[in-house]
Amino acid sequence: MTLIRKSLASLTLLTLLSGCQTAPNTLGGTGDLGVIVERATGSLAVVNTSRQQRVDQVEGLGDLSHASVKFSRDARYAFVFGRDGGLSKVDLLSGEITARVMQSGNSIGGAISQDGRLVAVANYEPGGVKIFDSENLALVADIPATWQDENGQEQRSKVVGLVDAPGNRFVYSLFEAGEIHVVDMNAETPEMTRFTDVGKNPYDALIDPSGRYYIAGLFGEDGLVLLDLWHTGSGVQRILPDYGRGDERLPVYKMPHLEGWAMAGNEAWLPAVGRHEVLVADKDDWALIDRIPVQGQPIFVMSRPDERQVWVSFAHPANDVVQVIDTETRQITATLLPGKAVLHMEFTPRGEHVWISARDSDRVTVYDTRTLQEVARLKSESPSGIFFTDRAHRIGL
Amino acid sequence: MTLIRKSLASLTLLTLLSGCQTAPNTLGGTGDLGVIVERATGSLAVVNTSRQQRVDQVEGLGDLSHASVKFSRDARYAFVFGRDGGLSKVDLLSGEITARVMQSGNSIGGAISQDGRLVAVANYEPGGVKIFDSENLALVADIPATWQDENGQEQRSKVVGLVDAPGNRFVYSLFEAGEIHVVDMNAETPEMTRFTDVGKNPYDALIDPSGRYYIAGLFGEDGLVLLDLWHTGSGVQRILPDYGRGDERLPVYKMPHLEGWAMAGNEAWLPAVGRHEVLVADKDDWALIDRIPVQGQPIFVMSRPDERQVWVSFAHPANDVVQVIDTETRQITATLLPGKAVLHMEFTPRGEHVWISARDSDRVTVYDTRTLQEVARLKSESPSGIFFTDRAHRIGL
């Protein structure tokens, strides 16, 4: 009897320990955590934004050369979308990969549903969207991106610009097909609405912070496509018809990221394509209001959470520079040198700091956005995307 | 030698266990947690918004009859501001009160600084603001709300409408003095800017989601006072001059909460004072655009995070009703009965649910905001304020 009791007791101890001993930061809030994607090593650095420190490193995530990350509703898990089709669920508290599936041959990002229960992945090869249970990554829906070409043949298209929208919907674009699809996951079986002939080769997209406007950029022609999700019956409309490479065919080193658009007050701030300009448009009628000269081809144009500043990163060869613009005066107030090959910027949730990755300097620099002084520098091998857990609580992020 | 090793091993085990075994929800993300203030019992219910369940109860928090809550930067701790001047720091993971001070005789809410390091409390008695280290609640600054009355005598004033603003600033109003003060905590010693003669008896205030506009309501006269924090040198301005009780002197059962204002697109939606109306104002020039008839005197007018709906709660005697307005058509789309004496509403971060407290029905009802169906009902003794941890990441919340 005594012996049996003893063994039960040690069993309990072991159980408790195995759930508790795994990482240095097991016990703690997850509101000030984040991850840095380290593309060369296929690893994730887990960071703490209160202390500006690395707290863990997670390896074995495959090819992270164009990886993006979403967070679970409880801000504990990161869903990592690898370029090689790998989808991994990482526990930020233990540093463990709790689930992983190779879900396609080539993928380009994902989204998490409004209720946090579903994770969707946009795939290039085979073209389509796969939707998984966020708990265990079990497949819930497989939606091939099929379309009819000019000869009436059914083809599959690469999927780009996948975002979540209110009402447990996912919205995405089909590159070859020139279509936008909206999938409603509240229905018994997923219901899809297709918008065809939206424009030539949509290559990326964004959704505004309220989740109402889905805007896709076109690789094959100038202009942008807007879908008002409050009025899907009205179809898509074309906005900013001159947005693009235009006739001059300047060398475009890298197409700008649409998800980097800044929304400041009633204005949208966006990177011009190929030109050394940041554009300002009116959010009511999408008319172009201003063009602000900058030092290179802009890639990310992001607003500080209080909308007073816009921070701009650039394409090669001017990609060791970040410029800061005052949204009221529209003047450049600072030109900073965070390192070689700046790839991404992420603001802390209330905007006191910004973290900037410089791939070829193997570091992430943290700036105070008020003083514009460096407050910390973290070593990181080929850092690219930086993502903080407050994204879990925002529409479209 | 063997014996010593053994005892070291068990010491390690105990240490690990004591840091890990304290509560049912010790190990977990904190992004989907929240609290319900239970005013009759002076307790806090800790809730999980993914499972719509209570997960813990914390007692011993004193008089919570008009309590409010802010969250630490890591979303692990709740700072509870009691009516009796008690300030408590509660660990949501362990359910323990980790620090508590009786910092005044009577207080009315607080704020947490942009960087998360400071917690400020607005006090009625003695009138002023006290600022504490968020780590251990050690006093950092004690700022009496002094002013000169008409006879040149120095008096102390009650402090109301305390909010945080970008740049580690706190902004608040002095009820008797008719002043607004801005305290900059980035300076070596706190620096204060005073705005005098702003209007008669400011009684409550709000700051907009970008942290730019501070708006105070006046108990002693009609109209609202606006301070543009981007241009403090320009002083305050008066907006919506007819906002208030007016000449008719209708019976006002309860002054509406200003912090409940909804900002939807370029419009501000606000509760009329004493009238059965919700008002819509243009955020550019603060002109009144529309008056929407509702079923009682509105108290809270809050927008769903995607800004498509505005939810309205009411003063006695029509306070068992909540109405939902479509922000585009400005029509009432639903009239719901969540229970007796509805006191507060809180949306989940991305807006799929809203939690509504009904004090005299001893329950909190959770609605799906799309279907407007009840999805859960939680027992709670005299529930009032409901606060979810994503507030940690928002300016002014």
Side-chain angles (χ1 to χ4, degrees):
Chain A
M1 190 65 184
T2 314
L3 263 172
I4 291 165
R5 277 205 181 167
K6 251 191 182 167
S7 68
L8 278 177
S10 45
L11 191 70
T12 312
L13 281 177
L14 285 170
T15 309
L16 282 165
L17 284 170
S18 69
C20 178
Q21 206 188 10
T22 42
N25 58 329
T26 295
L27 187 73
T30 53
D32 57 354
L33 300 181
V35 298
I36 301 169
V37 174
E38 300 180 315
R39 54 195 285 160
T41 48
S43 61
L44 220 57
V46 181
V47 296
N48 179 300
T49 66
S50 297
R51 305 197 305 262
Q52 295 103 45
Q53 285 174 351
R54 298 173 68 108
V55 291
D56 208 346
Q57 182 161 15
V58 183
E59 294 178 337
L61 295 164
D63 178 2
L64 298 186
S65 61
H66 200 283
S68 65
V69 172
K70 302 286 164 184
F71 294 99
S72 63
R73 205 176 175 290
D74 62 0
R76 175 175 176 176
Y77 298 95
F79 298 97
V80 186
F81 307 93
R83 189 56 189 259
D84 55 4
L87 167 62
S88 311
K89 181 175 178 178
V90 173
D91 184 346
L92 301 180
L93 291 173
S94 70
E96 286 167 356
I97 299 170
T98 61
R100 180 166 159 82
V101 287
M102 285 305 292
Q103 56 83 43
S104 79
N106 192 320
S107 79
I108 190 69
I112 184 160
S113 62
Q114 184 184 35
D115 67 6
R117 291 187 187 168
L118 301 169
V119 175
V121 192
N123 290 318
Y124 275 7
E125 187 49 49
V129 169
K130 283 191 180 170
I131 299 177
F132 300 88
D133 184 320
S134 63
E135 193 60 35
N136 54 15
L137 300 190
L139 187 68
V140 172
D142 183 354
I143 309 171
T146 52
W147 64 293
Q148 308 271 331
D149 68 14
E150 60 269 31
N151 305 318
Q153 295 288 324
E154 190 169 280
Q155 304 279 356
R156 284 182 84 150
S157 179
K158 291 193 201 73
V159 172
V160 299
L162 169 66
V163 301
D164 65 275
N168 260 16
R169 290 178 295 175
F170 292 114
V171 190
Y172 51 90
S173 298
L174 280 64
F175 182 80
E176 289 86 357
E179 297 188 6
I180 294 173
H181 293 184
V182 179
V183 173
D184 182 344
M185 294 302 292
N186 275 319
E188 196 75 20
T189 54
E191 277 176 11
M192 188 202 288
T193 311
R194 280 170 187 260
F195 300 86
T196 56
D197 294 317
V198 302
K200 209 168 169 187
N201 299 136
Y203 75 97
D204 196 8
L206 67 86
I207 191 161
D208 84 303
S210 76
R212 175 173 179 177
Y213 298 112
Y214 179 82
I215 299 172
L218 299 173
F219 192 77
E221 58 184 308
D222 286 350
L224 293 160
V225 180
L226 181 143
L227 175 63
D228 179 351
L229 292 165
W230 290 12
H231 298 286
T232 49
S234 306
V236 299
Q237 53 179 299
R238 199 62 73 87
I239 60 167
L240 291 166
D242 298 328
Y243 187 80
R245 286 172 292 180
D247 296 331
E248 297 174 46
R249 297 279 150 189
L250 298 162
V252 175
Y253 293 103
K254 181 172 162 56
M255 290 298 278
H257 271 281
L258 289 189
E259 63 273 43
W261 279 27
M263 300 291 180
N266 215 34
E267 296 168 354
W269 290 61
L270 53 151
V273 178
R275 290 190 182 80
H276 295 194
E277 288 173 350
V278 167
L279 309 177
V280 185
D282 186 317
K283 271 181 73 182
D284 283 335
D285 59 5
W286 297 100
L288 194 65
I289 299 172
D290 207 352
R291 301 169 175 273
I292 300 165
V294 288
Q295 65 90 37
Q297 294 185 6
I299 293 293
F300 279 108
V301 173
M302 309 182 80
S303 74
R304 197 171 68 172
D306 72 345
E307 303 177 352
R308 182 64 192 266
Q309 295 174 345
V310 156
W311 289 58
V312 187
S313 69
F314 297 93
H316 178 83
N319 59 351
D320 57 342
V321 173
V322 164
Q323 291 193 303
V324 184
I325 305 174
D326 181 305
T327 55
E328 192 171 44
T329 64
R330 297 192 190 141
Q331 300 295 310
I332 293 171
T333 53
T335 296
L336 305 170
L337 296 168
K340 290 179 211 154
V342 168
L343 288 192
H344 201 215
M345 304 179 285
E346 178 88 335
F347 289 94
T348 52
R350 291 162 76 193
E352 73 278 19
H353 293 159
V354 63
W355 291 43
I356 301 178
S357 59
R359 184 193 60 204
D360 297 348
S361 293
D362 289 323
R363 72 166 178 251
V364 169
T365 309
V366 183
Y367 289 93
D368 181 316
T369 63
R370 191 179 56 89
T371 63
L372 302 174
Q373 298 300 306
E374 191 178 317
V375 292
R377 202 178 269 210
L378 290 81
K379 279 196 182 169
S380 177
E381 218 176 312
S382 299
S384 58
I386 308 174
F387 306 92
F388 297 154
T389 55
D390 66 292
R391 287 173 173 255
H393 314 304
R394 320 242 185 211
I395 295 165
L397 290 181
Chain B
M1 191 63 186
T2 313
L3 263 174
I4 292 167
R5 277 207 180 166
K6 251 191 185 167
S7 68
L8 277 178
S10 44
L11 190 71
T12 311
L13 279 178
L14 285 170
T15 310
L16 282 165
L17 283 171
S18 69
C20 179
Q21 208 185 6
T22 42
N25 57 330
T26 295
L27 188 72
T30 53
D32 58 354
L33 300 182
V35 298
I36 301 169
V37 174
E38 300 179 315
R39 52 195 285 160
T41 48
S43 60
L44 220 57
V46 181
V47 296
N48 179 300
T49 67
S50 298
R51 306 198 303 263
Q52 296 102 45
Q53 285 174 350
R54 298 172 67 109
V55 292
D56 208 347
Q57 182 160 16
V58 183
E59 294 178 338
L61 296 164
D63 178 1
L64 298 188
S65 61
H66 201 284
S68 66
V69 172
K70 301 287 164 184
F71 294 99
S72 62
R73 204 177 176 291
D74 62 0
R76 174 176 177 176
Y77 299 95
F79 298 97
V80 185
F81 307 92
R83 188 55 187 261
D84 55 4
L87 167 61
S88 311
K89 182 175 179 178
V90 174
D91 184 346
L92 301 180
L93 291 173
S94 69
E96 286 166 357
I97 299 170
T98 62
R100 179 167 160 83
V101 288
M102 285 305 293
Q103 55 84 43
S104 80
N106 192 322
S107 79
I108 189 69
I112 184 159
S113 62
Q114 184 184 35
D115 67 7
R117 292 189 186 168
L118 301 169
V119 175
V121 192
N123 289 319
Y124 274 8
E125 188 48 50
V129 169
K130 284 190 179 169
I131 299 176
F132 300 87
D133 184 321
S134 64
E135 191 62 33
N136 53 14
L137 301 190
L139 188 67
V140 172
D142 183 354
I143 309 171
T146 54
W147 63 293
Q148 309 271 331
D149 68 13
E150 60 271 31
N151 304 318
Q153 296 288 323
E154 189 168 281
Q155 304 280 355
R156 283 182 84 150
S157 180
K158 292 193 201 71
V159 172
V160 298
L162 169 66
V163 301
D164 65 275
N168 259 17
R169 289 178 296 175
F170 292 114
V171 189
Y172 52 91
S173 299
L174 281 64
F175 182 80
E176 290 86 356
E179 297 187 5
I180 294 173
H181 293 184
V182 180
V183 173
D184 182 344
M185 294 300 294
N186 274 319
E188 195 75 21
T189 54
E191 278 175 10
M192 189 202 290
T193 311
R194 279 170 190 261
F195 300 86
T196 57
D197 295 318
V198 301
K200 209 168 170 188
N201 298 136
Y203 75 97
D204 196 9
L206 68 85
I207 191 162
D208 83 303
S210 75
R212 174 172 181 178
Y213 298 111
Y214 178 82
I215 300 172
L218 299 173
F219 192 77
E221 58 183 306
D222 286 350
L224 294 161
V225 180
L226 181 143
L227 175 63
D228 179 352
L229 292 165
W230 289 12
H231 298 285
T232 51
S234 306
V236 299
Q237 54 178 297
R238 199 61 73 89
I239 59 167
L240 291 167
D242 298 327
Y243 187 80
R245 286 172 292 179
D247 297 329
E248 296 173 46
R249 296 281 149 190
L250 299 164
V252 176
Y253 294 103
K254 182 171 162 57
M255 291 297 279
H257 271 281
L258 289 189
E259 61 275 42
W261 279 27
M263 301 289 180
N266 214 35
E267 296 168 353
W269 290 61
L270 54 149
V273 178
R275 289 191 182 79
H276 295 195
E277 289 174 350
V278 167
L279 309 177
V280 185
D282 186 316
K283 273 181 71 183
D284 283 335
D285 59 4
W286 297 99
L288 193 65
I289 299 172
D290 207 351
R291 300 168 177 274
I292 299 165
V294 288
Q295 66 89 37
Q297 294 185 6
I299 294 292
F300 279 107
V301 174
M302 308 182 80
S303 73
R304 196 171 69 172
D306 73 344
E307 303 177 352
R308 181 64 191 267
Q309 294 174 345
V310 156
W311 289 58
V312 187
S313 69
F314 297 93
H316 178 83
N319 59 351
D320 57 341
V321 174
V322 164
Q323 291 194 303
V324 184
I325 305 174
D326 181 305
T327 55
E328 192 173 43
T329 64
R330 296 191 190 142
Q331 300 295 310
I332 293 171
T333 53
T335 297
L336 305 170
L337 296 168
K340 291 180 211 153
V342 168
L343 289 191
H344 201 216
M345 304 179 286
E346 178 88 337
F347 289 94
T348 52
R350 290 161 75 192
E352 73 278 20
H353 293 160
V354 64
W355 291 44
I356 301 179
S357 60
R359 185 193 60 204
D360 297 348
S361 293
D362 290 323
R363 70 164 180 254
V364 169
T365 309
V366 182
Y367 289 94
D368 181 313
T369 63
R370 190 179 56 90
T371 63
L372 302 174
Q373 298 301 305
E374 192 179 316
V375 293
R377 202 178 269 210
L378 289 81
K379 280 196 182 168
S380 176
E381 219 176 312
S382 297
S384 58
I386 308 174
F387 306 91
F388 297 154
T389 55
D390 65 293
R391 286 172 174 256
H393 313 304
R394 320 245 184 208
I395 294 165
L397 289 182

